[in-house]
Amino acid sequence: MVIPPWELFALLDPAYPPFAALVFLAMAVPVWLYMAWDDMAKLKIRNGLVLFVFGVFVVLGPLLLPLDVYFWQLVQAAIVFVAILVLYAAGTMGGGDAKFIAASSPYFMREDTTLIIVLFTACAIAAIVTHRLARRLGAQSAVPDWASWTSGKRFPLGFALGGVLSIYLALAAF
């Protein structure tokens, strides 16, 4: 399906409640920044970070979202968890990336699937280009212990995945 250019701006208006998005954004950005750094350093996304991301939704969701929306977001998370588990088992992604996608899935509204795909594509490309460019420009001297500098084709997608969540929530909040 081709979207006319004048309708692209409608994609930038997520169906998410703005206040809920703002609160979740305030919780997500610090975690994402730490997760991105840690993922580039160790090529791992820690279980504690993933549990925190999911736990924030579980605890604050009923306070910030209508209960029917909250319930369906949890159902969606269960469905995404199963789908991601299958993709991980097939070897298409790392375990940390799979965990983070499943844990952050309740933050995304199903109605915004096209926006989410566009954001993921843009964030993944931007993260890879930024990382590769930083390596070529000598950033390795600042953080020589990052495993991502020498990981070959493996790339720490936590950098991009956290960006998708943060940008999506920021679009909804503002």
Side-chain angles (χ1 to χ4, degrees), residues 22 25-26 35 39 48 72 75 100 106 115 131 149 159 174:
L22 183 62
L25 178 66
M35 179 188 70
D39 195 17
W72 285 111
V75 169
F100 186 76
L115 172 60
H131 185 269
W149 296 134
F159 187 28
F174 303 107

Side-chain angles (χ1 to χ4, degrees), residues 56-148:
V56 165
F57 185 85
V58 168
V59 171
L60 295 180
L63 304 173
L64 299 169
L65 299 169
L67 288 180
D68 61 327
V69 171
Y70 173 75
F71 170 75
W72 285 111
Q73 293 306 107
L74 290 177
V75 169
Q76 172 182 289
I79 293 167
V80 169
F81 176 74
V82 171
I84 290 298
L85 192 60
V86 169
L87 290 172
Y88 168 70
T92 61
M93 68 179 64
D97 301 331
K99 290 183 293 190
F100 186 76
I101 290 169
S104 64
S105 66
Y107 292 95
F108 297 98
M109 295 291 186
R110 183 185 48 81
E111 304 89 90
D112 297 327
T113 301
T114 304
L115 172 60
I116 296 161
I117 291 168
V118 169
L119 284 175
F120 174 73
T121 303
C123 285
I125 291 169
I128 291 168
V129 168
T130 301
H131 185 269
R132 300 296 190 242
L133 185 61
R135 184 173 62 188
R136 290 209 186 263
L137 294 175
Q140 286 172 299
S141 61
V143 281
D145 57 337
W146 276 8
S148 62

